[in-house]
Amino acid sequence: MAQSTAPTITVATSASQPLLAPWGGPHGGVPAFDKVKVADFKPALEAAMAENLAEINAIANNPAAPTFENTIVALERSGQTLIRVNTVYDIWSSTLNDDTFSAIETEMAPKLAAFSDQITQNAALFKRIEAVYKAPEIKKLTPEQQRLVEVDYKQFVRAGAKLDATAKARLSQINQQLAGLFTKFSQNVLADESDSVLVLKTDKDLGGLPASLRDAAKTTAGTRKIAAAGVITNTRSSIDPFLTYSDQRQLREKAWRMFTNRGDNGGAHDNNALITQILQLRAERAKLLGYATHAHLRLDNTMAKTPEDAMQLMEQVWKPAVARVHEEVADMQALALKEGAPASFKIEPWDYRYYAEKVRKARYDLDQNEVKQYLQLDKMREGMFWVAGELFNFAFVPVTDVPVYHPDVKVWQVNDKTNGKQVGLWYFDPYARPGKRSGAWMNAYRDQQRIDGKNVTTIVSNNSNFVKGKDGEPVLISWTDATTLFHEFGHALHGLSSNVTYPTLSGTNVVRDYVEFPSQLLENWLPTPQVLSRFALHYQTGKPIPQALVDRIDKASSFNEGFATVEFLASALIDMKLHLAGSQKIDPDKFERETLAQMGMPSELVMRHRTPQFGHVFSSDGYSAGYYSYLWSVVLAADASSAFTEAGGPYDKAVAARLRQNVFTVGNTVDPAAGYRAFRGRDPKIDALMKQRNFPMTAAKPGGKLGPGKPIDVPPKQPVRRKK
């Protein structure tokens, strides 16, 4: 039942509070973004929580014997107002966060955590769920219904439903403390990103930058009202290209330090003490719930199942990736010396991208800036739509009859090409701005479902941080950015393809190390000739990218994979090792430094996400002890891509149909390992990944399955309906 730490809730009504009203208008209803007032969030959340608790109590205290319909389905129907309010609240948190909103977020985070515990710790409610789970009648339910019962039951158990009253009270205290720490962590990183910029004072400071980056830097200076030749903001989409092209080494170092030290500068926005507290609380919570460590708790509900299996995969790839980095550094060092660098010159982390680009150009005659001339953001978006039409039979039609939360946001209606029926809406928020967290992510505003026989279509969004250039000119993006664009669109297609009954099992609501599989897979369609010839058009001439340039891109496809793999794996391994350390008190900076040294981390690069800014892991529980899932999923994606190669190519209709049927449409209605086997005809193997990255197979287990044969989460927050 409710704990003494539960929030005090003030009831408002939809008449006085627009956020509480059901979504109206076209397309089955849409968020009323034009009516949102930041001051309304707190009373709306409180009223929605009160309503949801009343619904939960009605289910828990139902005098009728527990059944699938009056307990499990009733839970699915509950909390709709809160889901809507929380969706809009999370959009403001990630894209329009300012001082006023941050104050509300700081207050509400612990209250939302306490509210969630009131549901999962409701003894009467859990008793009913358990009764349905253990009843012989469960065998009479459909497979999807049985899956829903199992998911609900295990979710409640992992959330502490079986603990005694004292342990439940402590668990709720921990969850509330963590919610506050997560919020503060995110706000600290956002503050360092928003407040810190690199000012390019003179034209010399723009040296080496391509025209598009110069224009973007000048535009940013104007927007920020800074009298300078240009300004580089403290986000990856701005820093990475600067590090790649700037010929001013001292400025590269300043940019690199500004970016890699986010959350690690001492003072009010330093995250190290917060991380120590988060790790201690997570370790205590895991012990309360009967798990050895937080890592064991988090992986209990994944394809990997255990931290040991996840570590085994990462360690198979780590050594060959590090060896490749040493080769890459040697090539860069030799080129730098050839260009006249002093004999004492050493490649530093702020040099890596710059000299890697030079080596790429020398070895493959491939200049990424040349490629960028053919990668217009709008054209790449059209290319994604075309791929979605070929593989998923979707058509995207722009609409202007829905409100948006910022003028940059555009909306498309997504239809089935064959019957013309709407399957959902796709919102696109592409540009960086103050108050928007960095990175790229997908979010679901509404889950597809059909509980009462009526199909409720989904609403999804993709969010990026591209930098605007001159007004009226196309935004040119890098090959890496285009790949990320396709990746996030893969998440959106996963949500749009959903064809299930119950929202808990809908779309991307799958286990953490499977959710990245569809998105990793879609990256493989960017380099296909069909996309490049139609949509990789020169921003001035309109001519398609030359085949000779495409060939050079293909030859260089595994170039710099050592860097890409090591910077990712370093983050993933640190994440796992932090959460396997149990209850020991950790100094994050010291742990990061010493553990990387023990691992043999090359000194010429750093983790993709250093610990003090690792939002995936410390802004929520989302990817904690789970960042490995990107590698797990890319193994699946490489293996799945081979299925197309072995058949008729990337647009093979039969393989695409199997992919839709067994992966994209089913959500969490089937075990992911079983779904993958139904698509592929076997368990996944690591071979395709090693070949794709040109790593030696001797470092892996040739032909080996992913894991020992066991059944194989810009981290947006999930709705608070129930803990997932």
Side-chain angles (χ1 to χ4, degrees), residues 280-298:
Q280 294 266 279
L281 289 167
R282 281 175 171 165
E284 182 185 353
R285 182 176 59 184
K287 286 289 180 64
L288 270 175
L289 293 169
Y291 293 87
T293 69
H294 178 75
H296 289 85
L297 166 61
R298 291 295 295 167

Side-chain angles (χ1 to χ4, degrees), residues 139-153:
K139 295 179 181 179
K140 298 178 182 178
L141 300 176
T142 68
E144 181 178 348
Q145 290 170 337
Q146 291 182 48
R147 178 77 172 174
L148 178 61
V149 175
E150 178 186 16
V151 167
D152 276 354
Y153 174 77

Side-chain angles (χ1 to χ4, degrees), residues 211-212 215-216 218-219 468-475:
S212 60
D215 290 342
K218 291 176 181 177
T219 300
K468 285 184 176 180
K470 290 181 179 179
D471 288 343
E473 291 192 0
V475 175

Side-chain angles (χ1 to χ4, degrees), residues 42 682 691:
K42 178 184 173 182
R682 58 165 173 77
K691 181 179 179 181

